[in-house]
């Protein structure tokens, strides 16, 4: 039976080339395949309208995201205050069908009186005030640090509006536990992603890979840690790949002979980098949400080495090699750089990733909910 669903997205979900947007795009694609007609509402900034989305959506509406310092003085978080539109409210009223709000960012109208008759589902991509607090701790720029701290305070207050949601779809088991405790509801729906099956190459690669959005302070902190503490202890070739690296990172990497940088790789190029690496080395210092780069590394890559904040309560810990300090991480890298991934390890990944983390399986869960 066909069903219909409004989805309110915080940005245009094409191309699917960063974090939460990957989740939104592949969710749309697989919900459409599950016989759901999607009315998509996109706030946009820095992206163009996309014909690609019309392949999967019954209708697509675009709204320009507001910007400017005046919105910083609102009691609501900046990421919420700048995503309001009277036209969005009008378009939502055209069809009284369930609404999926993508992230707390898009929940400006969650408690609006005109939304009383709707099933209102919120997809949480993080515990946002935790995420912004971590950003403030990782940020060196004083003004950005102040902004992140203020935003974290506002997000903690605004989050209380989730009690008005019909359902919360959390992206990780940890987040599910948090929202269940606070709002007595939450369902674990893992991140949607580009991978239909595990596609790991046998044999050996000849480099170590770190990949991620390099404009994000969390990833910059991880890269600096690796450059300072790990790669200085090794001579194996290293590749760092991702979007928008800062000039300071480019300069640092250019000065290290065995480390190279791939800037703004296309999706296919990034997938090839992951597949051909001997080790995906992806530590994090920010235990929030479920990192899509972890799923990419496990669906496509050989050995995956990380630390506990990356895998804690994800259900994926036993598929990775975990090191908590410099000595253990260096030893693991030295060991796994010489070892081929085994057929048993690949089968173990298939057992978990192609069931619990299957896009079709998780799209069906949402279909059954609406």
């Amino acid at each position: 039976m066909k069903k219909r669903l409004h989805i309110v997205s915080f940005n245009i979900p094409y191309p699917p080339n960063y974090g939460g947007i990957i989740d939104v795009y592949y969710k749309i694609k697989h919900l459409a395949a599950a016989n759901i007609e999607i009315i998509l509402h996109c706030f946009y900034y820095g992206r163009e309208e996309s014909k690609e989305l019309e392949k999967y959506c019954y209708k697509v509406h675009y709204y320009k995201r507001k910007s400017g310092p005046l919105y910083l003085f609102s009691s609501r978080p900046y990421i919420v205050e700048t995503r309001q539109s009277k036209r969005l409210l009008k378009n939502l009223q055209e069809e009284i069908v369930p609404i999926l709000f993508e992230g707390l960012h898009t929940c400006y109208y969650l408690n609006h009186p005109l939304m009383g008759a709707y099933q209102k589902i919120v997809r949480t991509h993080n515990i946002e005030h935790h995420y912004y607090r971590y950003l403030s701790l990782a940020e060196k720029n004083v003004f950005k640090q102040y902004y992140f701290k203020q935003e974290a305070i506002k997000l903690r207050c605004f989050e209380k509006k989730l009690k008005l949601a019909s359902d919360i779809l959390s992206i990780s088991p940890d987040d599910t536990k948090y929202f269940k405790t606070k709002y007595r509801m939450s369902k674990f729906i893992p991140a949607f992603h580009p991978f239909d099956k595990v596609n790991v190459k046998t044999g050996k690669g000849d480099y170590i890979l770190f990949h991620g959005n390099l404009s994000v302070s969390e990833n910059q902190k991880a890269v600096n840690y690796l450059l300072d503490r790990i790669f200085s202890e090794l001579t194996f070739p290293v590749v760092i790949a991702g979007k928008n690296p800062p000039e300071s990172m480019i300069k640092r990497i250019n000065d290290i002979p065995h480390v190279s940088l791939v800037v703004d790789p296309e999706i296919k190029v990034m997938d090839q980098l992951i597949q051909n690496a001997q080790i995906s080395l992806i530590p994090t210092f920010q235990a929030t949400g479920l990192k899509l780069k972890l799923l990419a590394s496990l669906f496509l890559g050989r050995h995956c080495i990380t630390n506990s904040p990356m895998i804690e309560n994800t259900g994926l810990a036993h598929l990775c090699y975990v090191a908590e300090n410099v000595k253990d991480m260096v030893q693991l890298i030295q060991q796994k750089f010489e070892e081929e991934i085994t057929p048993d390890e690949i089968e173990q990944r298939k057992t978990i990733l192609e069931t619990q983390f299957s896009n079709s399986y998780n799209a069906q869960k949402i279909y059954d909910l609406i």
Side-chain angles (χ1 to χ4, degrees):
M1 183 182 82
K2 272 195 182 296
K3 296 184 180 183
R4 197 165 281 182
L5 174 70
H6 291 287
I7 295 181
V8 185
S9 178
F10 52 88
N11 202 348
I12 297 172
Y14 193 85
N17 58 359
Y18 75 89
I21 281 299
I22 295 172
D23 177 57
V24 177
Y25 173 76
Y26 287 99
K27 190 184 300 111
I28 288 168
K29 185 174 179 179
H30 287 273
L31 289 177
N35 220 16
I36 296 176
E37 292 183 334
I38 296 163
I39 306 163
L40 179 63
H41 306 266
C42 305
F43 284 93
Y44 68 89
Y45 58 104
R47 285 183 163 226
E48 301 294 327
E49 295 183 10
S50 172
K51 288 284 185 187
E52 180 72 16
L53 297 170
E54 295 173 15
K55 292 180 184 178
Y56 309 112
C57 299
Y58 169 65
K59 291 180 185 175
V60 183
H61 300 284
Y62 296 95
Y63 314 91
K64 186 173 182 180
R65 183 187 173 189
K66 302 175 191 301
S67 63
L70 283 177
Y71 296 103
L72 292 168
F73 297 101
S74 169
S75 60
R76 282 181 285 262
Y78 183 84
I79 63 171
V80 177
E81 184 69 18
T82 54
R83 290 179 173 91
Q84 55 170 297
S85 166
K86 289 180 181 177
R87 195 160 56 85
L88 167 63
L89 192 60
K90 181 175 179 293
N91 288 336
L92 288 172
Q93 290 174 75
E94 287 184 359
E95 296 198 47
I96 302 180
V97 296
I99 306 170
L100 175 58
F101 294 93
E102 285 289 350
L104 207 57
H105 314 49
T106 64
C107 290
Y108 186 92
Y109 295 111
L110 184 66
N111 65 333
H112 196 282
L114 293 172
M115 297 291 104
Y118 293 75
Q119 181 185 7
K120 294 169 288 189
I121 305 164
V122 179
R123 165 52 142 187
T124 55
H125 292 263
N126 279 301
I127 302 168
E128 293 294 345
H129 64 278
H130 288 179
Y131 179 68
Y132 273 80
R133 182 169 61 84
Y134 286 128
L135 287 178
S136 74
L137 295 172
E139 183 57 59
K140 292 180 180 177
N141 181 291
V142 175
F143 297 104
K144 287 183 180 179
Q145 190 180 89
Y146 178 78
Y147 162 72
F148 289 140
K149 283 180 181 177
Q150 292 303 304
E151 196 76 347
I153 293 166
K154 292 177 184 179
L155 283 162
R156 187 176 60 213
C157 295
F158 186 80
E159 184 195 87
K160 293 172 186 174
K161 294 188 185 299
L162 288 178
K163 64 188 176 187
L164 301 168
S166 311
D167 293 281
I168 298 170
L169 307 183
S170 307
I171 206 165
S172 75
D174 250 14
D175 288 9
T176 305
K177 183 179 177 182
Y178 169 87
F179 288 115
K180 261 188 180 168
T181 302
K182 290 209 73 173
Y183 305 106
R184 298 185 180 180
M185 60 176 161
S186 188
K187 295 178 175 66
F188 172 44
I189 305 283
F192 286 78
H193 51 79
F195 314 110
D196 295 321
K197 59 183 181 180
V198 172
N199 189 14
V200 177
K201 284 187 175 182
T202 54
K204 286 176 60 182
D206 58 6
Y207 59 90
I208 300 160
L209 175 70
F210 176 90
H211 59 99
N213 184 345
L214 302 177
S215 68
V216 175
S217 54
E218 171 197 353
N219 287 328
Q220 291 171 13
K221 184 176 180 181
V223 168
N224 285 328
Y225 169 80
L226 293 174
L227 292 174
D228 290 336
R229 309 293 302 279
I230 306 298
F231 300 149
S232 58
E233 300 294 319
L234 300 165
T235 56
F236 302 131
V238 173
V239 175
I240 295 170
K243 287 177 57 181
N244 301 324
E247 283 299 322
S248 57
M249 184 186 294
I250 295 170
K251 188 174 185 305
R252 278 203 75 185
I253 292 171
N254 285 342
D255 290 337
I256 306 172
H258 67 290
V259 182
S260 59
L261 178 66
V262 179
V263 177
D264 298 329
E266 293 182 358
I267 295 167
K268 285 183 180 179
V269 173
M270 181 64 90
D271 288 352
Q272 288 169 357
L273 286 169
I274 297 169
Q275 278 191 309
N276 292 328
Q278 174 65 5
I279 294 170
S280 289
L281 182 63
I282 49 168
T284 186
F285 298 96
Q286 191 165 310
T288 54
L290 174 66
K291 307 291 193 293
L292 280 156
K293 62 184 172 186
L294 174 60
L295 286 179
S297 299
L298 292 173
F299 268 98
L300 297 179
R302 295 184 177 99
H303 302 299
C304 181
I305 298 178
T306 185
N307 58 353
S308 58
M310 178 65 81
I311 46 79
E312 193 170 357
N313 294 316
T314 61
L316 298 171
H318 60 297
L319 302 181
C320 304
Y321 296 96
V322 182
E324 304 299 357
N325 56 56
V326 171
K327 182 182 175 184
D328 290 348
M329 190 167 282
V330 169
Q331 286 180 346
L332 260 178
I333 292 167
Q334 289 171 332
Q335 178 188 342
K336 294 301 167 187
F337 201 82
E338 304 301 331
E339 294 180 4
E340 292 188 15
I341 190 167
T342 67
D344 284 348
E345 288 175 301
I346 295 172
E347 283 305 313
Q348 195 177 21
R349 289 190 193 182
K350 288 180 179 179
T351 300
I352 300 297
L353 296 173
E354 293 180 6
T355 54
Q356 296 174 36
F357 291 84
S358 157
N359 288 323
S360 300
Y361 174 70
N362 289 310
Q364 187 62 43
K365 282 186 184 178
I366 297 174
Y367 178 91
D368 294 339
L369 184 65
I370 65 175

